[in-house]
Amino acid sequence: MDGNTVYTDKRCEDVGAMDHLPRVTAGISGSSGIYRAGCARTLSDLVYQVTAAIENKDVNRLASLYQWNGISNASANRILNKLEVIVDRPLVDIAPVRPAPPPVVDENGVVVDDNSDGYYPQTATRQRPVGLRLEQTLKNGSTPSRTVFGLRRAYKCFWITL
C-alpha cells in the first residue's frame, strides 16, 4: 500500500497490498473492451492499452502505441523484437517515471543538496511523468524484470518509446 512492489505467491489483500494494474476484461467497445479505436489521449488510457497488449500477448497492439516517426527499417525490426519479448513476460505493475527535481540551492546559488540520495523535497506542483516503468517477471514467474518506456505527446495523444 506504500507504493513499493511486492512479489508474493499470496493474494494482495493477504499481505496488506493492492493490485496496481487495471483489469482488462473481454469486450468489443467502450473502456472495458480489448480493442479500442483511436489513440491514447490520457496517460491512464495509455496504461490500460499497454496492460491489455501485454495480458493478451499482442505485440501488434503494443506496437500500435509506439511512436514510429523517424525510425529506419532496421531499427524498427530491433524495436519490434524488444516489444515481442516484453509481451511474452507476465506483467506485475506499471508505474510513472517522473523527472528528478532540480538541486536545492541557497540564496547565493550554491547547491546545498543535489538530490542524488533519492530523497526529493516535496513541491507544491507534481511533475508530469516522462516515462512508464514496467515491472515484470521472467517466464519462471519469480525473477524480476524492468523496462522503462519513454513518453511522447504528439497529435494530442500519448506514445511510448524505447
Side-chain angles (χ1 to χ4, degrees):
M1 296 298 279
D2 62 0
N4 291 322
T5 301
V6 177
Y7 297 95
T8 180
D9 60 348
K10 298 177 178 35
R11 295 180 327 147
C12 292
E13 299 81 29
D14 294 343
V15 294
M18 64 182 237
D19 193 359
H20 277 275
L21 296 175
R23 289 295 122 213
V24 178
T25 57
I28 302 294
S29 62
S31 62
S32 64
I34 291 177
Y35 291 100
R36 295 176 59 182
C39 62
R41 300 225 182 251
T42 64
L43 191 55
S44 60
D45 191 29
L46 181 66
V47 169
Y48 177 86
Q49 295 290 335
V50 169
T51 302
I54 294 171
E55 285 189 357
N56 290 290
K57 299 190 180 302
D58 189 345
V59 70
N60 290 321
R61 181 162 186 189
L62 188 59
S64 74
L65 305 171
Y66 199 87
Q67 187 177 40
W68 294 103
N69 296 356
I71 304 292
S72 69
N73 286 344
S75 294
N77 285 328
R78 284 192 297 274
I79 291 168
L80 278 170
N81 289 338
K82 290 178 184 178
L83 295 178
E84 192 166 20
V85 169
I86 290 168
V87 299
D88 282 339
R89 291 187 222 143
L91 184 61
V92 176
D93 190 20
I94 298 178
V97 176
R98 300 186 190 282
V104 178
V105 295
D106 64 13
E107 62 277 351
N108 297 325
V110 177
V111 175
V112 177
D113 183 1
D114 63 0
N115 285 323
S116 62
D117 60 359
Y119 172 76
Y120 302 135
Q122 300 296 318
T123 59
T125 59
R126 233 172 123 173
Q127 293 183 327
R128 292 182 181 190
V130 295
L132 292 176
R133 186 180 66 243
L134 278 63
E135 299 290 345
Q136 297 179 282
T137 59
L138 298 182
K139 288 193 177 207
N140 66 13
S142 61
T143 305
S145 175
R146 177 178 285 173
T147 303
V148 177
F149 286 130
L151 287 178
R152 300 287 184 266
R153 278 228 15 139
Y155 314 111
K156 297 183 182 179
C157 299
F158 282 98
W159 305 94
I160 57 173
T161 61
L162 282 173

